[in-house]
Amino acid sequence: MNDVTPRQPGRPLSWPDIIFDLREFLADVPDEIYIVGGAVRDALLHRPLKDIDLATSGDAIRLARRIANQFNGDIFPLDSERDVGRALIDTPEGRLMFDVARFRGDNLLADLTDRDFTMNAMAADLRGDLSLLLDPLNGEGDIASKQLRRCAPYALSSDPIRALRAIRQSIQLGLRIEPATLADMRAVSPNLVDTSPERGRDELFKLLALPKLASSLLVADRVGLLEV
């Protein structure tokens, strides 16, 4: 599809109040700012939001600092080279984590295409109409058909940890992993040893915390991830 034109989703997006407060506060920022990733997926599914990713065309760490200062939160520069910052904000509903990153590539489409799965490659314009969805890879359609699909053929080879994440998110959301994505998971499983041990540990612990643990481990074993 590759169309980033905003459109009305099949069901309303559900945002917490702080998102509207943030939109008002950042109205004078000249750069593009989008809510991206799992937060948009969860807003579509009406799930609680805890971690909110923002993608911007401007200075991401500076934007994260501005958000933290406005809401009396904490700021952590996560990756100065890639321009990624984190703001931790306390709200009446609990603590929210805002990860702010400069676009992966030249624009929003490049950023979304470079993500892991189509359901995590949707966006909403923070300074625009928050009822509209930007969904160039048809993540909403994949959610409706209950399938987990990788964004691009290189999505898993570029980061094998995503193979573990595919199992966790498919179990959490009751999705079927589509055949090409499943084949890629098998292909990249040996490369898991070359990734960060800390990231692998964190993803494995999240997998072990799932209610349907047996199903998770069975899929991981079938694609060769458990042995690695």
Side-chain angles (χ1 to χ4, degrees), residues 16 36 50 52 58 67 82 134-135 141 155 160 167 175 191-192 208 224:
V36 294
K50 294 182 179 179
I52 299 173
I67 293 170
R82 297 184 181 182
L134 292 83
D135 185 17
I167 298 172
L175 307 177
N191 300 335
L192 197 62
L208 294 174

Side-chain angles (χ1 to χ4, degrees), residues 50-211:
K50 294 182 179 179
D51 302 337
I52 299 173
D53 290 342
L54 301 178
T56 179
S57 60
D59 188 325
I61 293 178
R62 180 181 298 173
L63 180 60
R65 181 173 290 107
R66 183 173 177 180
I67 293 170
N69 290 341
Q70 172 66 16
F71 295 97
N72 299 314
D74 299 312
I75 172 69
F76 301 93
L78 295 181
D79 189 334
S80 298
E81 184 177 348
R82 297 184 181 182
D83 194 12
V84 183
R86 172 172 295 171
L88 295 176
I89 309 296
D90 289 319
T91 74
E93 294 76 28
R95 172 160 283 201
L96 282 178
M97 182 170 70
F98 288 88
D99 280 355
V100 188
R102 194 183 292 266
F103 284 157
R104 311 177 187 188
D106 295 334
N107 50 40
L108 178 65
L109 178 59
D111 182 279
L112 296 178
T113 303
D114 196 46
R115 293 180 179 270
D116 50 10
F117 310 114
T118 59
M119 66 176 183
N120 299 328
M122 299 181 288
D125 188 349
L126 181 62
R127 297 185 307 125
D129 188 341
L130 285 169
S131 71
L132 300 180
L133 184 69
L134 292 83
D135 185 17
L137 303 180
N138 194 31
E140 184 183 21
D142 284 340
I143 290 174
S145 61
K146 293 191 175 300
Q147 72 169 349
L148 185 142
R149 180 167 57 92
R150 47 134 165 90
C151 289
Y154 58 81
L156 275 72
S157 60
S158 65
D159 186 2
I161 293 291
R162 289 173 169 176
L164 277 173
R165 191 181 306 153
I167 298 172
R168 173 172 60 86
Q169 295 194 338
S170 67
I171 296 293
Q172 282 179 323
L173 299 174
L175 307 177
R176 174 184 58 85
I177 302 174
E178 62 92 29
T181 303
L182 195 62
D184 286 355
M185 290 167 62
R186 290 193 178 96
V188 306
S189 61
N191 300 335
L192 197 62
V193 296
D194 299 323
T195 62
S196 160
E198 293 79 13
R199 291 183 65 224
R201 174 204 60 201
D202 292 348
E203 195 60 55
L204 179 61
F205 282 0
K206 291 177 183 178
L207 198 66
L208 294 174
L210 293 177

Side-chain angles (χ1 to χ4, degrees), residues 3-21:
D3 184 1
V4 291
T5 302
R7 62 169 176 78
Q8 201 71 42
R11 63 184 302 185
L13 297 172
S14 177
W15 301 111
D17 289 342
I18 194 170
I19 294 296
F20 298 99
D21 294 340

